[in-house]
Each structure stands twice: as C-alpha cells, then as structure tokens.
C-alpha cells in the first residue's frame, strides 16, 4: 500500500506520527497477546504452599479411579487407583491448594452404602470442626454421585465447600476426563464464592448443586446436569463463574441407628399392586413412586399406596420422567390419600430425603411435604 505525501514539512510530521502510532500499537498488541505462559506464576515455595487453602481429598473409587482391563475395548475396573496417585496424576494442583488425600473406599459407586455415607459425613464434619481443611473434594463414581451429594448436603453442618467429582472415562482411556475434572473441582473448592453454597458436583466444566444434579447419560462426559434447577456455574482451567445466588439448604441430623428402609417402585403400563404389597411386607417405612408423568400410576397401585399411607408408611409421588416438578393434587388427591408430592426431586433423591426425615421422626405427611418444598 503506498501513501502520497502532499508537502515536505507535512510529510515529515505525518511520518513521525505514523511511526509513533505504529510503535504504540505494536507494543500494546504484544502485551495484549502475550501468551499466558509469559505471565506464568512462579512455582509455589513452602511459604506460599502454607498460605494456600487446605483441601482434603477423600477417594471412594469410581471410574475416575478406574483402570482398563483386558476384557476388551472400553472395559475397566472402577476404583483401581488410590487417592494419592489420583492427586499426583494432576499437574498444577499444588499451585491451587495444599492437598491431603485419604482413601475412604475403593468401589464402583453402584455399591455405595449407608456405611460409606456415614464414614464420609463424619470424616468431613471432623475435618471442618477441627479446622483441618478449608474445603473437601470427594472423588466418586457417577452412578450414585447425586445421591451421595444430596445426602451430604442434608447432614453436614458447615458453610465450607464440599465438591464431588467423577469421570466418565477411566484414567487409562483416550481422552480421560478425570484429571481435568479433579483440577476444576479443586478450583471450585478453593474459590471464595463457593463458601455457603453447600455440596456441589463439578464435572466437565460445569458446577451443579447437590439438590439439582442428576446423571442424564450412560456414557457421555457431559452426563451430570440439573434439568429442573439449572447449573450453579461454570469453570474452565482459569476461571470459576457462578451464575446463580446460593440456594438455602436444610439440615437433618444423621442418627446412629441404621437408615430406615425406603423402597422406590417404578410405575409402568398394566401396573398392579404386587410390588407395593411386597414393600409393605418387607416392612418399608417409606415408599417412593417413580410414577408416569406428573407422578401418576394405575388405580390398583394407587389403592395399595393409600393402604400403605393409612398404615403410617410415608408415601411420596415422584416421576420416572427426567424433567419437571411433581405437583400436589393434580391427577391424584394427595390431601385425601395422605401422599407427598416430590416437587423437583427425582425418585432416588426423594428416597434420600424421606429416609432422613423418617430417621428424624418426621412422618406426618404435612411436615414431610414442607421439607420437600424446602422453601421453594
Ligand atoms: N461403576 C460406575 C460408578 O462407579 C461407573 C460410572 C462412573 O464412575 O463414572 O459409578
């Protein structure tokens, strides 16, 4: 491109201005585009480590700790990798937090048990009450992650962050999602805005609440979603961003006695009363209906549920449908039948809340319904 200059003095003036402007934009451009590594933080020294937030990582197993085996492509064993190895496999964690790691269990989370729940709850409460940690990260299988997260959100008395994290691919797989998920979970755990948000799940750049999150896909890395309440926020390898104010939670004491038996009955066409009668014979203290649509089921099954409620069994209508609230007194007269509508809670979460309510002596349908509403 050529520039024609009209007179010598103007030419000289204009050339100087042009050169000066070019220098400024070049310099500004360089600073603006200087790659992140040019501003890399110096490695943390012992003093800096000491100043970092203290995060206790509790490992329970799951795919995130899985390793491939020779059964064929995609096959793997859950929980094969230990807590310490998980932490040391993630570069950069030491710049975020001063981490300690403990093994609570080494299971596929389909085998999650009340005993492990108790171990997690007491270990976390102790760590917070005795000032051992500023936050806790739990590595966990995704199959029952939502139930453990919701359970902990109800029984922990703290405003410190607890973050559950898992993965959909084992550590040995192509595109293993575990290391980045652990890194992001620690980022969220130490973020100042995480305080007071209760128990959260962090997976694949997304932050979800314990109440809202559920597993929505059997294999996708984006499986954890909050269909009814929406995500709390988003995280990438440099930022944590919350997009909602912290919701209020509720606290329920975790008694020493074993949690009461609460069955989930899955509704389907041509539904009879047999499963419900078996639950009553099994001395279930609560029955959660995974109903069709807005928590519906057949007349025969409804009659059996009314009988159960009349005997003092807590009956909660939830839905097998993946999204939407189950509302009171729409196609079913909950007030007449003594039923509870699960609102936003899916069957597996409705079961957790029902167990803890019964364990705390809350069985009156009106009181149970208030707890399900939880200020919603
Ligand atoms: N065995 C399942 C579990 O531990 C695998 C699913 C996973 O962890 O992502 O929940």
């Amino acid at each position: 491109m050529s520039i024609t200059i009209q007179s010598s003095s103007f030419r000289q003036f204009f050339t100087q201005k042009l050169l000066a402007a070019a220098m400024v934009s070049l310099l500004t451009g360089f600073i603006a585009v200087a790659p992140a590594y040019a501003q890399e933080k110096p490695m943390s020294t012992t003093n800096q480590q000491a100043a970092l937030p203290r995060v206790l990582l509790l490992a329970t197993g799951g795919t995130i700790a899985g390793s491939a085996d020779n059964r064929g492509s995609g096959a793997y064993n859950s929980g094969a990798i230990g807590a310490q190895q998980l932490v040391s496999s993630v570069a950069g964690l030491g710049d975020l937090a001063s981490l300690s790691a403990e093994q609570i269990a080494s299971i596929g989370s389909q085998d999650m048990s009340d005993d492990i729940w108790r171990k997690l709850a007491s270990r976390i409460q102790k760590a917070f009450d005795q000032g051992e940690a500023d936050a806790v990260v739990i590595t966990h299988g995704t199959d029952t992650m939502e139930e453990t997260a919701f359970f902990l959100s109800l029984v922990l008395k703290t405003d410190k962050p607890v973050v559950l994290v898992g993965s959909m691919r084992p550590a040995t797989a192509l595109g293993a999602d575990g290391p980045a998920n652990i890194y992001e979970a620690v980022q969220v755990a130490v973020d100042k805005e995480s305080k007071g948000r209760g128990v959260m799940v962090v997976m694949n750049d997304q932050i979800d609440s314990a109440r809202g999150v559920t597993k929505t896909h059997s294999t996708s890395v984006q499986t954890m979603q909050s269909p009814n309440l929406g995500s709390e926020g988003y995280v990438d390898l440099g930022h944590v961003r919350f997009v909602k104010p912290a919701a209020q939670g509720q606290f329920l004491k975790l008694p020493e006695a074993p949690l009461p038996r609460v069955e989930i009955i899955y509704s389907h066409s041509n539904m009879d009363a047999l499963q419900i009668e078996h639950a009553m014979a099994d001395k279930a203290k609560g029955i959660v209906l995974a109903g069709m649509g807005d928590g519906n089921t057949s007349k025969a099954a409804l009659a059996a549920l009314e009988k159960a409620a009349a005997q003092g069994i807590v009956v909660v209508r939830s839905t097998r449908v993946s999204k939407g609230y189950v509302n009171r007194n729409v196609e079913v007269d909950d007030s007449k039948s003594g039923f509870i509508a699960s609102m936003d809670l899916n069957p597996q979460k409705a079961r957790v809340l029902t167990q803890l309510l019964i364990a705390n002596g809350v069985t009156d349908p009106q009181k149970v319904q208030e707890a399900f509403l939880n200020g919603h």
Side-chain angles (χ1 to χ4, degrees):
M1 178 185 83
S2 68
I3 299 168
T4 314
I5 306 293
Q6 303 305 330
S7 74
S8 61
S9 57
F10 175 72
R11 187 169 53 232
Q12 212 176 2
F13 170 78
F14 188 74
T15 316
Q16 280 163 358
K17 283 293 166 211
L18 196 65
L19 278 174
M23 286 306 288
V24 167
S25 61
L26 190 65
L27 265 177
T28 327
F30 172 74
I31 292 167
V33 297
Y37 63 72
Q39 293 125 9
E40 198 161 60
K41 288 185 303 232
M43 286 302 292
S44 52
T45 62
T46 322
N47 295 342
Q48 282 166 321
Q49 267 286 329
L52 290 171
R54 299 160 303 158
V55 172
L56 171 62
L57 183 136
L58 300 176
T60 68
T63 299
I64 196 165
S67 66
D69 78 1
N70 53 15
R71 279 171 297 162
S73 68
Y76 65 86
N77 293 311
S78 275
I81 298 172
Q84 204 47 58
Q85 199 181 342
L86 275 178
V87 167
S88 46
S89 71
V90 181
L93 276 188
D95 291 335
L96 293 177
S98 168
L99 274 139
S100 55
E102 295 176 15
Q103 200 77 33
I104 296 286
S106 292
I107 58 163
S109 78
Q110 58 270 44
D111 285 316
M112 188 47 70
S113 67
D114 293 355
D115 280 354
I116 298 173
W117 275 3
R118 285 180 185 281
K119 277 188 194 143
L120 280 171
S122 57
R123 183 67 190 94
I124 296 166
Q125 198 66 63
K126 176 173 173 272
F128 288 154
D129 292 351
Q130 298 191 0
E132 290 176 52
D134 303 305
V136 166
V137 168
I138 302 168
T139 54
H140 193 293
T142 56
D143 286 356
T144 58
M145 182 182 284
E146 62 199 84
E147 292 162 76
T148 301
F150 189 48
F151 166 78
L152 291 172
S153 76
L154 294 169
V155 302
L156 289 175
K157 232 180 188 167
T158 180
D159 63 354
K160 291 184 177 172
V162 176
V163 177
L164 281 84
V165 61
S167 74
M168 292 301 285
R169 298 172 184 152
T172 47
L174 264 183
D177 51 329
N181 286 350
I182 291 177
Y183 188 88
E184 292 183 343
V186 174
Q187 275 182 275
V188 172
V190 302
D191 189 88
K192 291 194 177 19
E193 270 204 68
S194 290
K195 199 170 162 73
R197 286 184 174 268
V199 178
M200 294 175 272
V201 166
V202 170
M203 271 189 67
N204 215 42
D205 301 350
Q206 206 166 283
I207 309 167
D208 289 278
S209 68
R211 184 170 177 119
V213 75
T214 187
K215 184 168 182 175
T216 63
H217 195 289
S218 59
T219 54
S220 158
V221 291
Q222 195 59 55
T223 184
M224 301 311 262
Q225 298 290 344
S226 295
N228 286 334
L229 303 183
S231 293
E232 295 295 295
Y234 301 93
V235 48
D236 58 44
L237 297 182
H239 312 87
V240 175
R241 293 183 177 93
F242 288 101
V243 295
K244 291 166 67 178
Q248 67 176 50
Q250 57 186 316
F251 171 74
L252 290 165
K253 199 173 167 324
L254 179 56
E256 293 299 317
L259 290 175
R261 184 179 189 83
V262 174
E263 305 269 1
I264 298 175
I265 306 283
Y266 200 91
S267 201
H268 50 77
S269 66
N270 196 30
M271 178 87 172
D272 61 25
L274 264 184
Q275 290 182 67
I276 295 156
E277 286 160 4
H278 290 162
M280 293 164 76
D282 294 343
K283 304 274 179 272
K285 301 291 183 217
I287 294 174
V288 173
L289 176 73
M292 306 108 153
D294 200 354
N296 298 317
T297 190
S298 67
K299 286 189 172 48
L302 272 183
L305 289 172
E306 280 172 0
K307 208 164 120 194
Q311 288 178 13
I313 295 172
V314 176
V315 175
V316 179
R317 289 189 310 108
S318 184
T319 178
R320 68 184 198 182
V321 167
S322 60
K323 196 165 182 175
Y325 279 53
V326 172
N327 303 297
R328 276 188 74 77
N329 298 330
V330 179
E331 293 184 68
V332 175
D333 187 339
D334 293 305
S335 304
K336 177 176 81 62
S337 307
F339 297 160
I340 290 94
S342 73
M343 298 293 128
D344 56 303
L345 293 180
N346 65 23
Q348 51 272 34
K349 291 202 179 145
R351 175 177 171 272
V352 173
L353 180 54
T354 303
Q355 280 189 301
L356 286 169
L357 287 168
I358 295 169
N360 280 271
V362 179
T363 55
D364 168 62
Q366 195 177 335
K367 293 254 177 303
V368 174
Q369 185 65 76
E370 280 162 21
F372 270 82
L373 280 164
N374 184 36
H376 276 252

